[in-house]
């Protein structure tokens, strides 16, 4: 009995070690379709997320987990390819997704002096009024900077690179290859779907060229309706607070300005709309996109906002869609 118990314990430990070892460059690049991915970080889900990101069906923050944003990205990819758009990663969907790119999804990357050099902003207050005292809203550290560059959560970046301090140039990392290629040239408009909380880039025929998860308004500060157009794109914007906004938690009655930086409240880019005070912009908290509401504007991850900014120009049409179409997309079992 003791030998049997010892064997069982050894087997459990071995399986546990094998499970942890699966999340490496080779295992993820060679991951195969699984019918029902287990909870937690999964190599097949991670591979699918990176390929979706490359194809501009953005899952938002890449974390290797089945999530609402992942299901919506799968559903959008299915709809664009004529499949039933239930958001479940079926064999048919997997095979189509694998055919979009032959390049490995994880790659080696060498940290550069620019990657590890600041200036960083180690402490950023939660209240907007106190943020206004800072000279820049930079990344907290090099790990956050690298994670955002490769569209990945800091937690997963560290899991893929155990024991790495992200402080020394020349250090080799394993990161997602999220190169999206050239921006589409035939952009006819942008559609903001409040029901599915997505922003879509369309060509003249209505084909989806890119789909991004978004936080779109709230009951307190709803997003606009109807039609608008893009007035301008501002990269590395400052943030101006008007007391007329009356945001919850802001106590001052005076206007103030928050300095630029990727952890600015509107992130690394502001796409100004023809509706006064409204825009499409980035965020300092990519993990909350699609899961929380905004102050009326349309909030994307910084990298998705920057990608969108590279496609649009002054006069690009923007339409707000209020219907709850495609709201039946659910998480995979």
């Amino acid at each position: 009995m003791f030998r049997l118990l010892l064997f069982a314990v050894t087997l459990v430990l071995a399986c546990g070690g094998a499970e942890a070892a699966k999340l490496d460059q080779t295992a993820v690049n060679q991951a195969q379709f699984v019918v029902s991915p287990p909870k937690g970080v999964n190599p097949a889900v991670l591979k699918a997320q990176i390929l979706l990101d490359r194809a501009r069906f953005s899952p938002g923050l890449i974390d290797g987990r089945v999530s609402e944003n992942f299901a919506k990205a799968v559903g959008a990819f299915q709809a664009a390819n004529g499949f039933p758009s239930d958001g479940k990663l079926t064999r048919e969907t997997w095979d189509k997704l694998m055919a979009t790119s032959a390049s490995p999804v994880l790659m080696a990357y060498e940290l550069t002096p620019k990657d590890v050099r600041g200036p960083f902003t180690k402490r950023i207050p939660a209240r907007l009024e106190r943020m206004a005292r800072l000279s820049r809203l930079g990344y907290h550290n090099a790990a956050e900077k690298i994670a955002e560059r490769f569209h990945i959560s800091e937690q997963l970046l560290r899991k893929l690179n155990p024991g790495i301090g992200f402080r020394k140039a020349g250090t080799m990392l394993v990161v997602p290859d999220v190169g999206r290629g050239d921006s589409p040239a035939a952009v006819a408009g942008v559609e903001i779907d409040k029901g599915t909380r997505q922003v879509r880039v369309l060509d003249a025929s209505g084909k989806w060229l890119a789909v991004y998860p978004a936080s779109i308004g709230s009951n307190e500060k709803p997003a606009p309706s109807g039609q608008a157009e893009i007035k301008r794109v501002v990269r590395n914007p400052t943030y101006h607070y008007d007391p007329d906004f009356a945001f919850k938690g802001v106590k001052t009655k005076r206007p103030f300005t928050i300095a630029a930086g990727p952890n600015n409240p509107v992130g690394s880019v502001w796409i100004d709309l023809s509706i006064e005070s409204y825009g499409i912009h980035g965020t300092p908290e990519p993990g909350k996109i699609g899961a929380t509401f905004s102050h009326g504007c349309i909030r994307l991850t910084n990298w998705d906002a920057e990608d969108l900014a590279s496609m649009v120009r002054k006069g690009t049409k923007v339409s707000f869609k209020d219907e709850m179409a495609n709201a039946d997309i659910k998480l995979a079992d």
Side-chain angles (χ1 to χ4, degrees), residues 6 12 18 31 35 42 45 53 62 64 105 118 123 126 131 157 167 182 185 196 215 246 276 291 296 305 308 318:
L6 181 61
V12 169
V35 176
N42 181 270
V45 173
D53 187 285
I62 294 172
V105 293
R123 296 181 181 179
M131 285 184 195
L157 178 65
R167 297 185 182 92
D182 295 336
T196 62
S215 293
E276 187 176 357
L308 177 62
V318 178

Side-chain angles (χ1 to χ4, degrees), residues 1-234:
M1 176 65 74
F2 176 78
R3 287 183 178 179
L4 183 60
L5 180 60
L6 181 61
F7 175 78
V9 171
T10 303
L11 183 60
V12 169
L13 291 174
C15 289
E19 183 67 27
K22 285 181 181 178
L23 200 70
D24 60 22
Q25 189 171 352
T26 300
V28 176
N29 285 339
Q30 296 180 359
Q32 300 297 311
F33 173 73
V34 289
V35 176
S36 297
K39 292 182 179 180
V41 179
N42 181 270
V45 173
L46 176 54
K47 185 175 185 177
Q49 285 180 333
I50 296 169
L51 288 175
L52 286 165
D53 187 285
R54 269 190 210 166
R56 288 191 165 92
F57 291 88
S58 174
L61 189 68
I62 294 172
D63 60 5
R65 300 173 183 270
V66 175
S67 65
E68 184 177 355
N69 280 344
F70 174 62
K72 289 195 293 185
V74 170
F77 180 81
Q78 290 169 326
N81 285 280
F83 299 153
S85 56
D86 60 2
K88 296 181 179 181
L89 191 59
T90 62
R91 164 64 74 176
E92 186 179 35
T93 305
W94 172 272
D95 290 345
K96 187 70 175 180
L97 184 57
M98 295 304 112
T100 61
S101 178
S103 301
V105 293
L106 291 183
M107 66 177 186
Y109 175 78
E110 183 178 351
L111 283 177
T112 68
K114 184 178 179 181
D115 291 329
V116 298
R117 184 174 61 242
F120 297 117
T121 309
K122 292 184 178 180
R123 296 181 181 179
I124 298 177
R127 291 181 58 181
L128 295 180
E129 303 100 309
R130 293 180 180 176
M131 285 184 195
R133 302 173 187 172
L134 301 178
S135 60
R136 177 167 173 76
L137 277 292
Y139 293 111
H140 292 91
N141 49 47
E144 183 188 24
K145 183 178 182 179
I146 295 301
E148 181 148 307
R149 176 174 177 177
F150 294 102
H151 311 177
I152 190 174
S153 70
E154 284 188 64
Q155 181 182 20
L156 183 54
L157 178 65
R158 295 183 187 280
K159 191 181 288 286
L160 289 170
N161 299 279
I164 300 296
F166 306 100
R167 297 185 182 92
K168 187 176 179 181
T171 301
M172 297 303 299
L173 303 180
V174 174
V175 297
D177 182 354
V178 289
R180 287 174 169 172
D182 295 336
S183 298
V187 172
V190 176
E191 180 179 73
I192 298 171
D193 191 328
K194 299 179 188 179
T196 62
R197 286 183 287 179
Q198 290 177 313
V199 171
R200 306 185 188 105
V201 181
L202 313 175
D203 70 6
S205 69
K207 177 184 175 182
W208 297 355
L209 302 175
V211 181
Y212 311 111
S215 293
I216 306 173
S218 64
N219 290 332
E220 180 187 2
K221 299 285 183 181
S225 295
Q227 306 294 316
E229 62 181 42
I230 290 175
K231 290 174 59 179
R232 58 177 178 155
V233 172
V234 181

